Amino acid sequence: MAVSFWNNLLQITKNRVLQQRGVSLYNYTHGFEEHVIKKKLEQFAGGSINLSKDGNGIGVLTVNNPRLMNAFTGTMMLELQEKVTELENWKEGKGLIIRGAENTFCSGSDLNVVKALSSMQDGVNTCMFIRNTLTRLMRLPLISVALVQGKAVGGGAELTTACDFRLMTPGSEIRFVHKEIGLVPGWGGATRLVQLIGSGNALKLLSGALKVDPERAVSLRLAEEILPSSDETGSLEEACTWLNQYTKGPAEVIQAMKKVVIAGRELHLEAALREEKDIFGTVWGGPAHVQALGQRPKHK
């Protein structure tokens, strides 16, 4: 009886964490009506979220609103959700680079949106909407990299934490400025930051609203490397080169690797092991496995 109970509980946990693609993390029981907040976000236009894909399975997602340091307008939040849905269904995809236009990463939300949706319910619903999108972004079966040029502040800093890795250019910074406007992170950034650098370091960055330069980010293990170039074109090429070392091979294998890591990160041990077994079964005997066995020399 007890074994059956725990097995059912583990399955429920797995289903909740590794949910069907595109399904919202929230519903009416959370007081969240997605269609209502989407209708309100449509009123605040400007900027765009651009996505390009190359033949090697690498996508580049650009936050494009340079007039406002690439701050998210309402329509940009909606476009980000659309692009994430597109990436979830990209069977040939292996990697993703997220960057901002014109040498600036992102400054969070457009203040016009913040002021217009100033009621507690609107504010919470907006945060739940973007948090859901960023959680789906984090769970994409692609190896994702935030290319931080210029400033990544507020919600922009939170966006960097939804990627698997962060690369920074000389002179760039990540800064969680929420305290200075009387808030805490609302896009899931605090939770992800704790997972990345530990509770003590996260508390320092959040409560101090500290500017994290590339050197400090690397020392905190918030960033992987400092790229040589601060030029927009050059740094993108360098980021692609860095990412390519982890995306060599068939897309189905790279995606399976990302999925087992997600399971190990988010599920309890037994559920994670079961998920790893299931994913293993999708590639065993597959084209990549068979081809590799045929090319590999025999043991000597």
Side-chain angles (χ1 to χ4, degrees):
M1 188 74 175
V3 173
S4 176
F5 169 80
W6 284 111
N7 286 340
N8 289 336
L9 181 61
L10 286 167
Q11 189 61 42
I12 291 170
T13 303
K14 173 182 172 181
N15 290 340
R16 286 177 177 174
V17 175
L18 298 176
Q19 55 192 274
Q20 183 180 359
R21 291 178 179 178
V23 175
S24 176
L25 297 173
Y26 309 105
N27 53 40
Y28 293 107
T29 62
H30 297 94
F32 179 61
E33 299 181 21
E34 185 173 288
H35 69 282
V36 174
I37 196 62
K38 289 176 77 170
K39 209 69 165 159
K40 292 185 177 183
L41 291 174
E42 288 174 357
Q43 302 172 38
F44 306 98
S48 62
I49 302 294
N50 308 125
L51 176 63
S52 63
K53 305 171 188 172
D54 69 18
N56 296 319
I58 304 298
V60 177
L61 189 147
T62 303
V63 182
N64 183 19
N65 191 12
R67 185 176 64 87
L68 298 176
M69 291 180 60
N70 297 325
F72 275 87
T73 63
T75 54
M76 287 172 69
M77 293 179 183
L78 298 176
E79 284 183 31
L80 180 61
Q81 185 190 60
E82 293 170 1
K83 301 304 182 187
V84 169
T85 300
E86 183 178 345
L87 290 165
E88 286 172 337
N89 294 288
W90 187 22
K91 293 182 179 179
E92 298 80 21
K94 296 189 282 186
L96 178 68
I97 296 172
I98 299 180
R99 65 168 184 164
E102 297 189 14
N103 282 314
T104 296
F105 188 75
C106 177
S107 60
S109 296
D110 179 357
L111 290 179
N112 291 321
V113 179
V114 174
K115 291 175 182 177
L117 302 178
S118 59
S119 73
M120 184 181 73
Q121 190 61 53
D122 282 343
V124 170
N125 279 340
T126 302
C127 282
M128 291 170 82
F129 176 80
I130 194 74
R131 188 190 307 164
N132 176 63
T133 302
L134 294 185
T135 301
R136 289 170 56 194
L137 172 65
M138 181 177 66
R139 290 174 176 164
L140 284 172
L142 310 172
I143 300 175
S144 59
V145 177
L147 171 54
V148 182
Q149 300 165 283
K151 297 179 184 295
V153 296
E158 294 192 63
L159 175 58
T160 70
T161 66
C163 295
D164 298 313
F165 304 104
R166 285 142 295 282
L167 300 172
M168 299 181 70
T169 61
S172 62
E173 70 176 57
I174 297 173
R175 188 181 182 202
F176 295 83
V177 297
H178 305 76
K179 185 186 77 168
E180 295 187 348
I181 54 174
L183 293 173
V184 299
W187 295 3
T191 298
R192 294 189 296 268
L193 186 64
V194 170
Q195 293 173 342
L196 289 168
I197 64 173
S199 59
N201 285 324
L203 185 58
K204 290 177 185 177
L205 299 193
L206 295 172
S207 63
L210 302 179
K211 294 181 181 180
V212 183
D213 61 26
E215 291 76 15
R216 184 168 189 180
V218 170
S219 70
L220 288 171
R221 303 188 72 177
L222 181 59
E224 296 299 310
E225 288 185 18
I226 305 169
L227 299 177
S229 177
S230 56
D231 171 73
E232 187 171 16
T233 302
S235 60
L236 179 57
E237 291 176 353
E238 291 165 357
C240 287
T241 299
W242 186 91
L243 181 56
N244 282 337
Q245 65 186 315
Y246 302 109
T247 56
K248 293 176 183 176
E252 64 270 21
V253 177
I254 303 302
Q255 292 192 16
M257 289 291 185
K258 176 68 183 286
K259 290 175 183 176
V260 296
V261 169
I262 294 171
R265 179 183 67 208
E266 300 192 15
L267 298 175
H268 293 297
L269 177 60
E270 186 174 346
L273 292 172
R274 288 179 179 176
E275 183 67 12
E276 183 175 319
K277 179 262 295 179
D278 291 343
I279 296 168
F280 174 84
T282 67
V283 291
W284 178 269
H289 180 216
V290 171
Q291 183 179 8
L293 289 176
Q295 295 175 347
R296 193 171 183 85
K298 294 181 179 179
H299 295 293
K300 294 182 180 181

